[in-house]
Amino acid sequence: MIKPNKRILLVSTALFALFALFTVLVATVDVAAGKVAGTKIGFSHLNLTFFDKTHPNGTYNAALYTFSDVLGKIALLEAAAFAAYGVWQAIKRKSMKKADADLYVLAATYVILALFYVAFEFIVVNHRPVLLEGGEAEASYPSSHTMLACTIFGTGIFMLCRRIRGNHAKAFKILAAAVSAALALATVLGRAFSGVHYLTDILGGLLLSAAIVALFSAFLPPQNADGTENCKTDAAE
């Protein structure tokens, strides 16, 4: 059984608590009319000022919206690739139990991510500052693209680096981490400046994804010197 790293688990718990507090504040502090008629937004002075400064014409940037949407799909493809890899391992080793333990931790993390995604489709904290193709006000807190990209690319850094071995492993690990971080950052910036979210939507997505990634890393099994998993060894405390 994998025992969690208690320090990292504490960090994750603190981040979840901070996200919950921030969500309450977004729903209750400085609430005023939003950009779309009939909607309201918390931290209105901050959110409306940011939107007006970045989108003085009052419309969203279609190019950045599409760009960030493509990056979101790349994140989902990465998640699907890890899922396929886990299935391949189980088939090759002729047992689901023999697949790498960190793949199960990753799968559980994806389930948690999906639950939050679905939950905030029903728990509407605020709506987008613009109307998209459907013409209806849509829930936008937290930014789902920010949450998905940062969680998937963030956990991906751990998963990839744990599997890179051999000559020049350090350089390839740095490259994998840099590319993943760049994709996550590009998604966040693309979403923030596309005009389809308020600033607090982005900040909420960052907080939630940080909490989920920390939770994931807390339960990662330790590795032996050769890179294989050592599930019988307790995580560092």
Side-chain angles (χ1 to χ4, degrees):
M1 181 178 178
I2 301 172
K3 292 188 177 181
N5 181 308
K6 292 182 180 178
R7 285 196 296 266
I8 301 178
L9 186 60
L10 182 61
V11 170
S12 175
T13 302
L15 286 169
F16 276 116
L18 186 58
F19 169 73
L21 174 61
F22 184 71
T23 302
V24 171
L25 293 175
V26 170
T28 58
V29 175
D30 191 22
V31 177
K35 301 299 292 187
V36 173
T39 65
K40 293 183 178 181
I41 178 67
F43 288 112
S44 59
H45 283 83
L46 171 66
N47 282 313
L48 296 176
T49 298
F50 180 80
F51 181 86
D52 290 338
K53 292 291 185 182
T54 54
H55 298 84
N57 59 357
T59 61
Y60 69 97
N61 187 309
L64 282 178
Y65 173 74
T66 301
F67 172 69
S68 59
D69 196 49
V70 170
L71 292 177
K73 288 180 171 61
I74 291 174
L76 292 176
L77 285 174
E78 178 174 313
F82 278 120
Y85 177 64
V87 172
W88 174 80
Q89 271 198 355
I91 294 173
K92 183 180 179 181
R93 298 173 182 178
K94 299 180 181 180
S95 173
M96 290 292 292
K97 295 181 180 179
K98 292 183 179 180
D100 291 344
D102 62 356
L103 288 168
Y104 285 102
V105 178
L106 183 66
T109 302
Y110 287 163
V111 170
I112 293 171
L113 177 63
L115 289 174
F116 273 108
Y117 183 95
V118 173
F120 279 101
E121 288 296 312
F122 295 95
I123 304 171
V124 180
V125 177
N126 59 257
H127 296 84
R128 295 187 189 278
V130 294
L131 297 177
L132 297 179
E133 291 82 0
E136 296 182 358
E138 299 177 9
S140 66
Y141 179 92
S143 165
S144 56
H145 273 71
T146 297
M147 181 176 65
L148 288 171
C150 290
T151 300
I152 294 173
F153 290 133
T155 54
I157 291 175
F158 289 92
M159 298 297 290
L160 292 171
C161 288
R162 286 165 68 89
R163 286 164 173 76
I164 296 175
R165 305 180 189 120
N167 296 331
H168 310 295
K170 184 176 180 179
F172 283 116
K173 287 181 180 181
I174 292 173
L175 178 61
V179 171
S180 296
L183 288 171
L185 179 60
T187 307
V188 172
L189 293 177
R191 221 59 182 174
F193 290 96
S194 66
V196 297
H197 284 287
Y198 288 110
L199 183 59
T200 50
D201 298 338
I202 304 299
L203 296 177
L206 286 171
L207 275 175
L208 181 54
S209 60
I212 296 173
V213 172
L215 182 64
F216 161 81
S217 63
F219 282 89
L220 279 177
Q223 289 183 297
N224 297 313
D226 62 356
T228 57
E229 291 179 346
N230 179 11
C231 295
K232 294 182 180 180
T233 302
D234 290 356
E237 296 186 359

